[in-house]
């Protein structure tokens, strides 16, 4: 059995996603242009998380103070990093699925091709048998005609012999 190279590559890519996500987070938090977007995204994530937790516990959403800008930036960077890891995992899973489907499709095409080749061979063999049967039928017809001729000659010979025997007796 061959090594599942595509699966090994997929696991490797997933393992490398975490350190890359950490670098993406570090790069995003160090750029001033992205920190405002990360802060807004972090606040949104904080409010969504708070409401989701309250909903899951069956309570109403409590009034919670807004996190600091630093905490919001960190939360936004964490969500960005997790989204990156999730994206890599989804991409790897979809790639494995597509590879598997293509492999299955190739196997199916090969199977159909082999079946078609077998069918063509059976068809050719059937045609050969049909030609042989036709030849046998023609030969049998010719033999019957020859037998009929031989019987007619035999009948003629017996008639002639009988006539000569009758003539000789007289």
């Amino acid at each position: 059995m061959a090594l599942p190279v595509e699966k090994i590559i997929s696991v490797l890519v997933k393992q490398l996603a975490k350190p890359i996500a950490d670098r993406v987070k570090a790069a995003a938090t160090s750029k001033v242009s992205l920190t405002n977007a990360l802060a807004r995204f972090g606040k949104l994530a904080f409010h969504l998380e708070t409401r989701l937790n309250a909903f899951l516990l069956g309570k109403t959403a409590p009034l919670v103070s807004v996190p600091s800008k630093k905490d919001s930036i960190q939360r936004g960077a964490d969500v960005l990093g997790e989204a990156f890891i999730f994206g890599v995992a989804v991409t790897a899973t979809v790639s494995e699925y597509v590879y598997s489907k293509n492999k299955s499709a190739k196997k199916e095409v090969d199977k159909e091709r082999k079946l078609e080749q077998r069918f063509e061979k059976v068809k050719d063999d059937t045609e050969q048998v049909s030609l042989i049967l036709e030849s046998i039928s023609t030969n049998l017809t010719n033999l019957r005609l020859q037998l009929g001729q031989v019987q007619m000659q035999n009948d003629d010979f017996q008639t002639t012999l009988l006539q000569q025997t009758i003539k000789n007796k007289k």
Side-chain angles (χ1 to χ4, degrees), residues 42-43 46-47 64-72 75:
K43 285 179 186 178
F46 174 76
H47 287 296
V64 181
S65 62
V66 176
S68 68
K69 185 169 184 173
K70 183 180 176 185
D71 289 342
S72 295
R75 187 179 295 268

Side-chain angles (χ1 to χ4, degrees), residues 25 29 31-32 35 39 67 99 120-122 132 137 141-142 154 162:
K25 285 174 21 178
T29 55
K31 296 205 183 232
V32 177
T35 55
Y99 179 81
E120 287 299 321
K121 183 170 177 3
V122 167
I132 291 170
S137 176
T141 302
N142 288 338
N154 185 29
L162 185 62

Side-chain angles (χ1 to χ4, degrees), residues 39-91:
R40 280 183 294 195
F41 193 64
K43 285 179 186 178
L44 176 64
F46 174 76
H47 287 296
L48 288 174
E49 183 180 341
T50 303
R51 288 188 176 158
L52 182 61
N53 284 337
F55 175 75
L56 291 175
L57 294 173
K59 300 178 179 178
T60 59
L63 294 175
V64 181
S65 62
V66 176
S68 68
K69 185 169 184 173
K70 183 180 176 185
D71 289 342
S72 295
I73 291 171
Q74 186 58 45
R75 187 179 295 268
D78 289 342
V79 170
L80 177 65
E82 293 300 320
F84 178 79
I85 292 171
F86 179 75
V88 167
V90 167
T91 301

Side-chain angles (χ1 to χ4, degrees), residues 136-148:
I136 290 172
S137 176
T138 302
N139 289 341
L140 185 61
T141 302
N142 288 338
L143 285 174
R144 283 183 180 149
L145 288 173
Q146 288 175 1
L147 180 63

Side-chain angles (χ1 to χ4, degrees), residues 91-134:
T91 301
T93 303
V94 168
S95 296
E96 285 178 32
Y97 176 76
V98 168
Y99 179 81
S100 175
K101 278 292 196 185
N102 289 343
K103 196 173 179 181
S104 291
K106 185 180 180 291
K107 280 184 180 178
E108 191 64 31
V109 166
D110 287 346
K111 194 177 187 181
E112 286 178 15
R113 184 181 49 79
K114 286 179 182 177
L115 191 59
E116 204 170 284
Q117 287 174 346
R118 285 182 188 167
F119 175 75
E120 287 299 321
K121 183 170 177 3
V122 167
K123 185 178 169 186
D124 290 344
D125 290 349
T126 303
E127 288 175 4
Q128 288 178 352
V129 167
S130 178
L131 290 173
I132 291 170
L133 284 175
E134 187 176 317

